[in-house]
Amino acid sequence: MKRFIIAFFAAYIFLFVWSWLLNGVVLKDVYAETPNLWRTQSEMMALFHWIILGQALVVFSFVMIYATGFAGGGGIAGIRLGLLLEIAAIGMRLGFYAVQPIPGKLILYGSISGIIEMVIVGAMVGRIYKPASARKP
Amino acid sequence: MNWKKFFFAFLAAFVFLFVFGFLWYATLMHDAHREVPTLLRPEADLKSYFGWLAVGHLVMAFFFTVLCARCIPTGGAGAGATLGILVGLVYAGPHLISFAVQPLTFKILFGWIAGAVIQFTIAGAIVGAIYKPAAANIMYVKERLR
């Protein structure tokens, strides 16, 4: 349980910082090209807790899946899980692209960064979380 | 990997994800989506983007099936459904984030979250029920310890 919590917090902090750097800094100008698709800056700040909750849900579910089906495999198993989940998410993103007027380059950048993000999250969770039976006394 | 069963499981998952998506998001939530028309492509444009929707569902179904096969190697609808709930929650997270950055309504947010969880829970149960590893590939704990 202790390692579960540590893995959760480590991955959550990484995801939070990564998302802020990517969406708030690197892709800021790309988002600005389609202002009608996004809330205003002040609205986003007022709803910021939903971002925190959403990221926490992603990381919590990720660690749960790792703990139930991949635990003991280490960083490689975590990376594998991250890749599987993210490539399936790219499929979902393509579905959104089909129905929402999101620029194609945002889908592309989001998918590339998503793969990097989930590989790192997977490696972190895999390195930190160990099932009780795999730990040395 | 039992490729024959994997193929059938993948096909069933794809058909289910696609049909459920059409019923839930395009039919049941149609009016809710039309409350925010700026977020959606005009209905006339949707046909020309249909290919992306189909490819997206193929990718999603294939990698979800791989995930089920790796995560629950002995299969089973219950284990598949449990994994599906967790996968649905992984994808519900970005919907919460979308709500904070896009002008979505609460109705759309809850519809998307409920849709993701129900969709992947049932898809997981389907894959778990169909996919079973080839008997020769099952290794029990006792055998491994010898």
Side-chain angles (χ1 to χ4, degrees):
Chain A
M1 190 62 184
K2 192 179 157 193
R3 281 182 179 263
F4 184 99
I5 294 168
I6 296 171
F8 168 79
F9 276 109
Y12 178 78
I13 291 166
F14 164 75
L15 192 72
F16 186 86
V17 173
W18 175 271
S19 301
W20 175 74
L21 279 176
L22 183 82
N23 298 301
V25 181
V26 178
L27 295 179
K28 202 176 175 186
D29 294 339
V30 182
Y31 283 111
E33 289 171 16
T34 50
N36 56 323
L37 289 178
W38 317 107
R39 291 188 192 274
T40 60
Q41 197 70 33
S42 57
E43 275 183 321
M44 285 186 201
M45 291 316 290
L47 296 168
F48 197 73
H49 54 283
W50 289 97
I51 296 177
I52 292 171
L53 195 66
Q55 289 174 335
L57 186 61
V58 170
V59 176
F60 177 79
S61 312
F62 186 99
V63 183
M64 279 294 286
I65 296 173
Y66 181 83
T68 50
F70 290 79
I76 297 296
I79 290 171
R80 208 170 278 157
L81 172 61
L83 280 174
L84 287 173
L85 283 172
E86 183 53 33
I87 298 174
I90 290 173
M92 191 175 281
R93 225 171 267 139
L94 292 178
F96 273 104
Y97 176 67
V99 295
Q100 287 195 320
I102 299 170
K105 59 182 170 185
L106 260 185
I107 299 291
L108 180 68
Y109 297 154
S111 299
I112 294 169
S113 74
I115 287 178
I116 299 169
E117 176 185 285
M118 289 307 249
V119 162
I120 297 174
V121 165
M124 288 174 87
V125 172
R127 292 286 294 173
I128 297 170
Y129 182 81
K130 303 255 184 316
S133 57
R135 275 178 251 151
K136 287 175 187 168
Chain B
M1 187 85 83
N2 183 346
W3 288 107
K4 194 177 164 192
K5 294 228 176 207
F6 176 88
F7 178 74
F8 285 122
F10 155 65
L11 210 62
F14 170 69
V15 171
F16 170 75
L17 289 173
F18 204 84
V19 171
F20 181 93
F22 172 75
L23 290 174
W24 188 274
Y25 299 106
T27 309
L28 202 66
M29 291 189 67
H30 180 270
D31 292 345
H33 284 144
R34 288 295 149 198
E35 284 173 20
V36 277
T38 54
L39 281 182
L40 297 170
R41 294 189 188 279
E43 296 213 8
D45 283 2
L46 290 176
K47 271 188 187 168
S48 54
Y49 286 89
F50 188 79
W52 290 104
L53 195 67
V55 171
H57 278 78
L58 276 171
V59 171
M60 206 158 56
F62 182 82
F63 286 94
F64 178 69
T65 310
V66 175
L67 179 65
C68 287
R70 291 215 176 251
C71 199
I72 41 165
T74 52
T82 307
L83 177 64
I85 291 172
L86 291 172
V87 172
L89 289 175
V90 169
Y91 297 139
H95 294 333
L96 291 171
I97 297 167
S98 292
F99 177 72
V101 298
Q102 289 193 295
L104 301 176
T105 60
F106 268 111
K107 211 191 287 181
I108 293 177
L109 172 66
F110 289 118
W112 283 4
I113 290 174
V117 175
I118 296 169
Q119 191 172 28
F120 281 100
T121 303
I122 299 174
I126 291 171
V127 173
I130 297 174
Y131 181 77
K132 299 270 184 303
N137 293 338
I138 299 175
M139 189 185 283
Y140 293 99
V141 177
K142 263 189 174 177
E143 292 175 41
R144 242 187 281 160
L145 290 174
R146 271 179 208 158

